[in-house]
Each structure stands twice: as C-alpha cells, then as structure tokens.
Amino acid sequence: MRSVFENPINLLARLIDGVCELCSTNLDTAVRAVPIPKIGDHLQPGAPGSCPTMSLWGQSSAGGRPLPRPVHLDRREPNGTDWRIVAQDVCCGSRQQSVAMRTQLLVLSLGLTWLAMMKTPRRQFLKLVGQFGVALSKQRLVVGIAVLGVWSLSCGDVATPFNGPQGQSPTTVTQFDATTSTTESSDLGHVVEVVFGSSSTVSSEYMVVDRQLELPTSDGGEASSITLTAEPHLPLGGALVPSVVPDQTGSALFYTATENLLDIEAVAPGESWGVPTIRRFDVATGADEKVLDGGYAPTISHSGLLAYAQDVNGEYRKEDGHLTRLAVLDGSSATIWTGEEEARFTPYGWAGDILIAYVTGEGESLSVVALDGPGQLRQLSAQGYIGAISPDGTQVLLIELTVSESGSLYSLIKVVNASDGVVVATYEPSRDPDFAVILGYGGDWKGQRAVVLGPGGFAVFDIGASSISPVGIFQLSFEKSEGALSPVWLLDDSRVWTRAMVSTDKGFAIAGVECNIVRIECANVSDLVSSDSAFATVGNMSRPQP
Amino acid sequence: MKRLVPFVVALVYLASLPAPVLATPGFGFGDYLWFQPGSTNLNGTLRRYDNFSFLGSTTAGSGMGNQYSTCQTNLGRLPSGWYDSANGHMVDNKNGTAIDGRAWGLEDKVCNGGSTLRTELFIHTEETVSNGQNCTSAPDDPHCWEGTFDYASQGCVKVSHPTSVSTLHTWWHSAAIGGAHSTAYTNILYVSTTGPPS
C-alpha cells in the first residue's frame, strides 16, 4: 500500500482537499513500542510545574510507512509515578469525502477530455482561459486533464489508510497512561489480583441471579435457595441502594420490581416506560405479593417502618425528572414525610428512627438529607455520598469532594451525628497520598471498621470515637475489568464482599468477589454470569439491626 | 445530437454532486458530536462534525476519578450509545440548581451491562447564567473553571471555559449545523471508544 507521503499525486490531492485532520491509525502500536520513559529521562528541561515534552520517532504498522510521530509527554500525575503520553499523527479526509470528491473529479475530467477533443469548444475554452491572462496551449490542456484524470483514479489510496467506518474521521489524538508502578503495593495502596475460578454457587445472599438468591441460616448451616416471583429491578437508585431488602427480623424480603416495563429508547418523552412496584416475599411460606404500586427502593427500620420513594406520577415517565416524595408505611398506612416538597428523593436507610435519604439533582449531583418525621427534613451534606450508617444507628459516614492545592479532586471522609448533623470526625487524606482518591458510596460499617467503594475496588477505614484512620485502598485487578460495583459489604474485620464486572465478547458479566484484606487476596465466590440477569443486590442499609 | 453532449456531461457532473442537506443537528444529517472517553475520566475527547466531516475536537471529561462503571450512578461516566437532546434541550442561559449557562440536555440512558438508568445528563461547563465566571467560593466554585479537575462530573460531559464551550456553542448555532434553542433533536451525541457506525 502506498502512503500519501510516498505518492506526490496523493499529496497534491491532500493539499487541494484542504481537509487535513489529525488521526492515529495504528498509533497505539507505534507508541507502545517506544520504551516508557522514566522520570527524568529524555525530557527537555522545563520551568517548574510546566509540562515536560519530548519528541520520539515511531514506525507505523500500517504498511510500514515511516511517518514522523511527535510524542508529547503530557503531564506528570500527582503521585509522581504515572505519565500520560499524548501522541498524534497527521493524515486527512474521510473515506466518504474522498470517494465523493474522486467521483466528481473523474466525471469532470472525462467531460473536459471530450471538450478538448472537439475543435470548436476547445478553441472557445482556450479563448476563455486566455482572457484571464493564462497562456494555455492544446498540449498543456491535454496534459492537465490527463493529470486530473490520473489523480482522480489514484485518489483511492488516500482513503485506504483510514480504518474507521464510512462517514467518520479517524481518531484525532490517542492518549493512554504509561503507568510505571500500578502493580506495586505501598503502605496503604494495594492492587489485588482477583483469582477467577469455578464456584459452587451462582447467586448468593447478597446477589440475585435470575430471581434466585441464597438465604443464610441462623446456625451457619447450608444456605437455602429461594426464587422471587418478579425480577428485582431498580433503575432509579439501584446503584445507591440494594434492590432487595430483608426486613428487621429476616422473615421477609421487600424488593422493587417494574411492571409494564418498556424499552426506554423506544418511548417518547413524557410517556410511561414502567410502573414501579414494591413486593414482599415471605420467607416461611414462599408467598410473594405486591405491597404497593408507584413506589420503589424500600428500606426497613429496626421497628418495622418501611420507607420508600413514591413517584409523583405513580409511574416512570421518560425525561420527566423522576420526582418523588418520601413515604413511610406503618402497617397499611402510608405517610408522606417530605411534605409538599418534590425532588428526586431516594431513601437510603434508617439511622435508628431517623430516615437518611439522597436527593439527586442536575447532573446527577447528590446531596444527603435526614428526616426526623413528617415535614422534618434536614440537610446532612450539600454534595456528598453516604458511606454507611454506624452499627448503632447514631452516626453516618459521609464522603465529600474537595480539591488539593495541586488541583486534584479527592474525597474527604466525615462522620456526623444523625440526630443533629454535627461532625464528630474528619479524615483529610492529603497526608496519605494513596487515599487522595475519589471514593464512592454503598459501603458498610461493622464494629470499628468501615468500607466504601473505591476506584476499581474499595477503601477500608477504622473509625474511633473522634477519629478516622485509613486501613487500605484495594484496587481489584482482573482482565477486562469494568471495575467493582456497589455495594461493598464488610463480612468481618478482614473480609470484604463486592462485585466484579467484566467486559466479555458477549457483553458484560458479574461475579461476587470476596477479598481478604490481611492476606491481600481476592477470589470470586460466585460464578461469572451475564450482567443482564445478575444486577440486583441484597442488603439492608438501615441500622441498628437486631 | 453532438450539441447536446456538453449539456449531458454537465448534467451528469451536477448529478454526481452531493445533494444539499438541511442544516439540522443529528447524525441523520451528519451534524453531530462524538465523545470518546479517555484513559481517565478527565481526558476524553469531544469531536464536532458537519455533514459527516470532522471539524475539530476538544478535551472533555465525564465521570469521577477513574475505574468506575457506567452503572455507578453519580460516579461513572455516561453510558455508550446515541443521545437525543432532552432535559430542556440546548439553552444559553440555564439557571439551574447545579448547572448554569450554556448547556445541552441529554436523554436518560440505561448503563452499559446493567439496569441502572443514568439521568440528569448534560454537556456543559462551569460558568454563570450569563456565561461568565464567578470564582468566589474555594476550592471549586461551580461557576468557575479553575483547572483540569473541573473536567470531573457525576456523569455529564464537561468542556472547559471559555474556549471549548464557546467553540461548541458557535458550532451548534452555525448555519451549517442549524442548532436552535430548546428544540428536540435526534442523535446529537455519540458516546463510545470507537466512532459511530455508519
């Protein structure tokens, strides 16, 4: 295959097209072949704080054409070990543009050739051109037309280097991280390889697969498997809270399902795409019945109060803001606790008799509120996530965002009183660089230890009366990782359960994963199954629990 | 008969020219955006197209930190696929609760590989209702583009102020694209690591 740089006709075509673009055909191959620079190597000196740059020359694998490929070391990451390389290559024009233009030029050159062959039109054409002061002879005209014809026929070569689908331009810039130390453990940061093997189970007590889940026995014996009547489905809030919630005695499971579920892509704005329902599964009898329509995300208090989000329309409607009220069901009587206020409320759990909830705003911003009763709403965090509620139900672990002096986002961890919102402990991770990361939600708190979702894994803390101490950040490492999914459960002081999501050729798959944070090892505890059938989780965020 | 040949040639040539298309945002008209996630949630690329031709690109971010699935609402980047305009569509002076100024509303989307619905999505920057800057609350004023960390979002696509958002705004309202305010359009944004299928 000839390149545009080897073929002057194609180069001319490029220039006349005037549509030069940046692209990166096979650039990964080229750049990855370049040794990853070490700190201080190959760098042009720059002012303190500026981006060091360097230039390298690579070899494209596309036909082996030798192209100059400037490679810029973009910037140094805050931890001083990771480097991002930005590389760019130049080519031009999309395939569609090329084909359209070449067709036109071919037709034009054929037409001009015919004109040049005829005496009268040729004379008139030469006369016309001569009026512009251009001395054009018959020979020059024929040569020019011939060049045009050859060019139009040869221009297919311009399109061949482009690998993208028709109608689109190639990638302009390829970026990737050249990480030099991601597999190393420091005092607090760990990358834990997840060992995937066959498992004896598919579902678990924390994870529903095809409406099936395992119920643990109180004496620690073999779990019993149950099958729910409806598919647990919690599209709004499903990442924030479990879809299936055991009640305070363990005698029943409450869960959200969706009736009349439609493909949201096929529904017009304002139209219904499903009706949320809350169902109750009786563990003793196996009876599974609907509790109410129009509500979702149930959570049960230690005294048996059931809080849920009540959609103001009683159904999911596309692009309508999904406004809700928070309702509390006591027996068969429901009371609205949020008064006339309508927002996107999602109940999280009960801290004793105080209901803790999220409010989702524009851009999926989250704030945290506490409700002491009907109409008694307080804000706990203007922008933050809920890590967990303390085992005794008196405190809430909050995750909030802040910015370091060097301009990096990271999470600030707080413990606040549920009753008055007073901050009793704060952890500022700037002294522990491993913890200067963005943490998530959906965690757990047992005894003095808490766990929350972290980047690609989870983070563990010890919580004292007025202090928060980091234990470790654990990033799960496995092939084709899509990261860890909430929730993260603390099984005991050393064991953590979460879910690993994997990208496969057939889509996505999920497996339950158990990690030992003392031995720093992780393995799947349930089989890797299609994410379509295994997205619902089980758990009760409320505390205290009997 | 011979006299007609030039006209036939001219007609054939004219017929070979691409038909003029209505200037309307949307992939069906070749006027669209492609957001390609980067190696982190802060360094994606947002490309602009006119009649399927690449016009230019800018850095854009979506999501918090890194390595969070699109199914992690309020954390992971927005899911892959085509997006219609929604959420009030495009406005120049949005006076919202969390997002102000120039904003392109996007439709809700089910996450990749799960059932979680991502909602409240926009393409936006950090600016005031009147498209200016108000950098009064440290360390991260929502009306002030302080630096790279501002590319972080809880799902939206974010572009920098002033250049990138102005370029995007100009592209949207240009004669070639024909984007209007508060108007519904189909397939204005494609999100994927690879370009949209033809």
Side-chain angles (χ1 to χ4, degrees), chain A residues 279-341:
Chain A
R279 302 183 65 88
R280 180 183 184 276
F281 178 88
D282 190 299
V283 172
T285 65
D288 192 328
E289 55 193 11
K290 189 194 297 184
V291 176
L292 56 91
D293 281 324
Y296 59 87
T299 183
I300 320 289
S301 78
H302 67 102
S303 59
L305 296 176
L306 187 153
Y308 63 95
Q310 183 188 69
D311 193 292
V312 297
N313 297 312
E315 61 185 6
Y316 298 131
R317 290 183 186 171
K318 187 171 180 178
E319 318 295 353
D320 75 341
H322 308 292
L323 298 178
T324 62
R325 307 178 187 95
L326 287 178
V328 175
L329 191 65
D330 186 3
S332 59
S333 170
T335 306
I336 303 298
W337 277 33
T338 45
E340 295 299 310
E341 190 166 351

Side-chain angles (χ1 to χ4, degrees), chain A residues 122-168:
Chain A
R122 185 176 68 231
R123 278 181 189 158
Q124 287 175 346
F125 180 71
L126 294 176
K127 190 178 173 184
L128 179 70
V129 173
Q131 288 176 351
F132 294 96
V134 178
L136 194 60
S137 67
K138 175 187 171 185
Q139 288 76 15
R140 284 176 183 173
L141 177 62
V142 170
V143 168
I145 292 169
V147 167
L148 193 63
V150 171
W151 169 33
S152 64
L153 288 172
S154 67
C155 280
D157 281 356
V158 177
T160 50
F162 305 145
N163 293 331
Q166 191 174 22
Q168 60 181 259

Side-chain angles (χ1 to χ4, degrees), chain A residues 84 97 104 166 168-169 172 175 235 265 319 322 344 362-365 385 438 441 454-455 475 485-486 531, chain B residues 18 43 47 53-54 67-68 72-74 94 97-99 107-109 113 117-120 152 154 196 198:
Chain A
R84 178 176 304 121
Q97 282 178 319
Q104 292 164 27
Q166 191 174 22
Q168 60 181 259
S169 298
T172 56
Q175 298 179 330
E265 300 277 349
E319 318 295 353
H322 308 292
R344 171 90 173 274
E362 284 175 344
E364 288 196 343
S365 61
Y385 306 131
I438 296 172
Y441 41 72
Q475 181 187 328
L485 293 174
S486 60
S531 61
Chain B
N43 66 359
R47 296 178 174 78
S53 298
F54 170 73
Q67 297 182 323
Y68 286 111
Q72 295 294 162
T73 56
N74 322 87
K94 180 175 173 58
T97 55
I99 297 167
E107 67 174 316
D108 298 346
K109 184 74 70 183
L117 189 68
R118 303 298 302 271
T119 62
E120 302 288 338
Q154 290 173 296
S198 55

Side-chain angles (χ1 to χ4, degrees), chain A residues 238-301:
Chain A
L240 301 173
V241 293
S243 310
V244 182
V245 182
D247 72 358
Q248 76 279 20
T249 64
S251 62
L253 299 170
F254 289 84
Y255 66 100
T256 305
T258 303
E259 295 182 350
N260 305 323
L261 180 63
L262 301 176
D263 176 8
I264 192 170
E265 300 277 349
V267 172
E271 290 186 355
S272 171
W273 54 271
V275 178
T277 64
I278 294 176
R279 302 183 65 88
R280 180 183 184 276
F281 178 88
D282 190 299
V283 172
T285 65
D288 192 328
E289 55 193 11
K290 189 194 297 184
V291 176
L292 56 91
D293 281 324
Y296 59 87
T299 183
I300 320 289
S301 78

Side-chain angles (χ1 to χ4, degrees), chain A residues 478-546:
Chain A
F478 48 95
E479 196 174 355
K480 296 183 177 178
S481 167
E482 291 291 321
L485 293 174
S486 60
V488 194
W489 300 122
L490 199 55
L491 305 180
D492 57 36
D493 267 3
S494 60
R495 293 186 304 135
V496 171
W497 181 94
T498 188
R499 292 180 297 164
M501 193 168 186
V502 179
S503 174
T504 73
D505 295 339
K506 296 176 181 174
F508 294 91
I510 291 176
V513 170
E514 193 175 304
C515 295
N516 187 307
I517 63 171
V518 176
R519 295 203 293 261
I520 310 181
E521 58 188 30
C522 294
N524 65 311
V525 288
S526 65
D527 280 339
L528 203 57
V529 291
S530 166
S531 61
D532 293 337
S533 60
F535 210 73
T537 57
V538 186
N540 190 351
M541 301 300 202
S542 299
R543 302 290 186 274
Q545 292 178 341

Side-chain angles (χ1 to χ4, degrees), chain B residues 87-175:
Chain B
N87 279 330
H89 312 296
M90 196 275 154
V91 292
D92 283 349
N93 306 107
K94 180 175 173 58
N95 188 2
T97 55
I99 297 167
D100 290 331
R102 287 162 285 191
W104 288 258
L106 303 172
E107 67 174 316
D108 298 346
K109 184 74 70 183
V110 177
C111 73
N112 303 141
S115 58
T116 304
L117 189 68
R118 303 298 302 271
T119 62
E120 302 288 338
L121 300 171
F122 294 86
I123 303 171
H124 68 102
T125 184
E126 294 195 3
E127 65 180 10
T128 63
V129 174
S130 56
N131 306 157
Q133 293 281 278
N134 181 19
C135 304
T136 52
S137 62
D140 184 14
D141 194 306
H143 300 117
C144 178
W145 191 269
E146 286 102 347
T148 304
F149 64 83
D150 282 323
Y151 285 114
S153 75
Q154 290 173 296
C156 295
V157 176
K158 283 179 75 178
V159 295
S160 67
H161 186 283
T163 307
S164 292
V165 71
S166 296
T167 303
L168 190 60
H169 183 245
T170 302
W171 168 83
W172 179 260
H173 289 309
S174 67

Side-chain angles (χ1 to χ4, degrees), chain A residues 50-65:
Chain A
S50 68
C51 299
T53 61
M54 65 176 188
S55 291
L56 299 174
W57 293 72
Q59 179 79 20
S60 169
S61 62
R65 55 183 176 151

